[in-house]
Amino acid sequence: MMRTRPLKVALLGCGVVGSEVARIMTTQAADLAARIGAPVELAGVAVRRPDRVREGIAPELVTTDATALVERGDLDVVVEVIGGIEPARTLITTAFAHGASVVSANKALLAQDGAALHAVAEEHGKDLYYEAAVAGAIPLIRPLRESLAGDKVNRVLGIVNGTTNFILDKMDSTGAGYQEALDEATALGYAEADPTADVEGFDAAAKAAILAGIAFHTRVRLDDVHREGMTEVTAADFASAREMGCTIKLLAICERAADGRSVTARVHPAMIPLTHPLASVRGAYNAVFVESDAAGQLMFYGPGAGGAPTASAVLGDLVAVCRNRLGGTTGPGESAYAALPVSPMGEVVTRYHISLDVADKPGVLAQVATVFAEHGVSIDTVRQQGKDGEASLVVVTHRASDAALGGTVDALRKLDTVRGVASIMRVEGE
């Protein structure tokens, strides 16, 4: 039997995502009520610019006083889609203190202060859901913390930023340079006017912190995630990748150590074999590849951003939280019982593709091979091409630690026969 008294929902932010949340709440009100077991009512919308026309939202619901809205005391759920650290953090904790559960899409805040927010939610007996914080519409958070709760996740490997994937895909498929591909992404609306958060990996790093924390039942903060951007990736790198049967993606990689005693989280460009499912992810789409003991290999794929896709994830959380409210219960909170240490990047072991500019004369290859051997880095393949006294030497290693590879490169730079290190790229997905 459906309850007639509505559940009251406040919306913090009414931009691209917030306006879609409000629209779906209105146009699909009957279906949402049937799925939840009670109607949901939009009780207030906090915005910065109240004079902007917001189709479908009654003007009397709009306010610039977000604090007063979350302090009302009669709200069941607060949906936060304003982003950033403050005032979002204070508004969320205030909402908990005044009796509301929270649905958020705020990856930056959750990556930085997720543990503290979970603690406040638990203190007040409220829910904190955030499916929309990672990979837009793709169901990922809930499968990791609920569907795979009985399994042991060993690795999460993903493309979690649509802007960077569009740019790299364009460079791969057309031969465009980085700037040309970025300009097209901007013109099509895939890239912001200031794309730094995307192309330098900050956005993906926040998502990696959230994913690692959930997957490994360990608190992983944004500061724990090693981050490298993709602005230095060149057409020559893609040519080298193709020669290896690979492409290049900006990957978020969260791994459990082989001995199970630590975890790592990192974001950086990497070569990935064309046979790997992630290699075929095109355009602005996202995909996350999960490896676990019992389930094996799973892949989640779909649009990772945009108003409607992200709103879909928000509404999914809203339905779940509202059901919990009606049942007088809460969903899963933070699971950090494992408390595994996060290893530094220097201890990460992977394969490497190194391109060197060298003198084209006898003995160069032997010198280079000796340096690799002295630093304990085993060579898998090597390819040399030379002309007019100059040559390029491409070395692909077996698995080695980042620290060992760094020492190797430093030593190579000191050789008289090495003119420079053209590029270094990790090789993942094997």
Side-chain angles (χ1 to χ4, degrees):
M1 186 174 185
M2 183 177 295
R3 192 182 84 168
T4 56
R5 182 168 61 85
L7 293 160
K8 294 188 176 183
V9 179
L11 183 59
L12 305 182
C14 198
V16 173
V17 175
S19 59
E20 280 295 307
V21 171
R23 182 188 65 80
I24 295 172
M25 285 183 64
T26 301
T27 60
Q28 299 185 21
D31 285 339
L32 290 173
R35 294 165 193 167
I36 292 168
V40 289
E41 173 189 315
L42 187 59
V45 181
V47 300
R48 285 185 296 177
R49 292 181 285 274
D51 54 338
R52 180 178 297 175
V53 175
R54 292 173 173 85
E55 187 176 348
I57 299 176
E60 62 269 20
L61 295 179
V62 178
T63 178
T64 58
D65 194 343
T67 300
L69 179 59
V70 298
E71 287 180 344
R72 280 176 39 164
D74 65 338
L75 299 175
D76 293 287
V77 185
V78 169
V79 175
E80 182 271 310
V81 287
I82 56 178
I85 306 302
E86 288 291 358
R89 174 170 49 197
T90 298
L91 291 171
I92 288 173
T93 56
T94 302
F96 288 140
H98 286 79
S101 289
V102 172
V103 172
S104 176
N106 196 330
K107 55 186 172 288
L109 177 58
L110 289 159
Q112 178 172 305
D113 290 321
L117 293 177
H118 273 294
V120 178
E122 184 177 1
E123 176 188 352
H124 294 284
K126 299 296 178 288
D127 275 323
L128 173 61
Y129 276 48
Y130 43 91
E131 183 67 66
V134 180
I138 304 172
L140 187 58
I141 300 298
R142 193 172 289 113
L144 280 175
R145 73 175 185 175
E146 297 182 32
S147 303
L148 295 175
D151 204 345
K152 179 183 178 184
V153 176
N154 296 310
R155 195 179 198 213
V156 179
L157 176 75
I159 299 165
V160 295
N161 183 278
T163 300
T164 56
N165 198 59
F166 178 88
I167 293 170
L168 291 173
D169 181 44
K170 186 62 62 173
M171 292 176 69
D172 187 22
S173 61
T174 69
Y178 166 76
Q179 189 60 52
E180 182 183 352
L182 172 60
D183 290 343
E184 182 171 350
T186 303
L188 292 172
Y190 292 127
E192 301 286 345
D194 180 1
T196 301
D198 295 323
V199 300
E200 294 295 349
F202 291 102
D203 175 83
K207 296 170 182 176
I210 295 169
L211 291 174
I214 296 170
F216 306 133
H217 304 279
T218 291
R219 287 179 178 171
V220 180
R221 289 171 51 89
L222 180 58
D223 292 345
D224 296 322
V225 181
H226 174 82
R227 177 195 56 78
E228 297 173 26
M230 48 157 279
T231 57
E232 301 302 317
V233 176
T234 66
D237 291 325
F238 275 102
S240 294
R242 282 190 288 274
E243 290 177 357
M244 289 181 60
C246 293
T247 188
I248 298 172
K249 300 291 186 181
L250 184 75
L251 298 177
I253 305 169
C254 311
E255 291 181 307
R256 188 189 301 269
D259 61 9
R261 297 179 180 177
S262 64
V263 299
T264 59
R266 50 197 165 100
V267 169
H268 54 71
M271 293 183 180
I272 189 167
L274 293 174
T275 54
H276 194 283
L278 289 178
S280 62
V281 178
R282 310 298 298 271
Y285 275 73
N286 284 192
V288 177
F289 198 75
V290 177
E291 300 174 11
S292 67
D293 276 0
Q297 297 179 332
L298 307 169
M299 185 160 140
F300 302 84
Y301 169 84
T310 305
S312 171
V314 170
L315 267 295
D317 279 351
L318 179 63
V319 169
V321 171
C322 286
R323 286 172 175 169
N324 291 343
R325 296 282 287 195
L326 288 179
T329 186
T330 56
E334 182 190 32
S335 176
Y337 73 90
L340 297 171
V342 182
S343 297
M345 187 62 188
E347 297 179 15
V348 170
V349 176
T350 188
R351 296 179 67 205
Y352 289 87
H353 176 283
I354 305 102
S355 180
L356 305 172
D357 295 326
V358 299
D360 186 17
K361 62 182 183 179
V364 173
L365 180 56
Q367 284 185 322
V368 169
T370 297
V371 170
F372 276 88
E374 289 174 346
H375 288 82
V377 179
S378 177
I379 294 176
D380 181 19
T381 62
V382 62
R383 183 176 73 255
Q384 184 174 4
Q385 294 178 324
K387 184 179 181 181
D388 299 330
E390 298 296 328
S392 63
L393 190 66
V394 176
V395 178
V396 180
T397 74
H398 287 289
R399 291 174 65 84
S401 72
D402 193 76
L405 195 282
T408 303
V409 172
D410 287 343
L412 288 171
R413 295 183 194 276
K414 296 176 183 178
L415 294 177
D416 291 339
T417 51
V418 174
R419 311 296 193 216
V421 179
S423 70
I424 303 171
M425 187 79 65
R426 297 177 182 86
V427 183
E428 302 286 350
E430 297 183 322

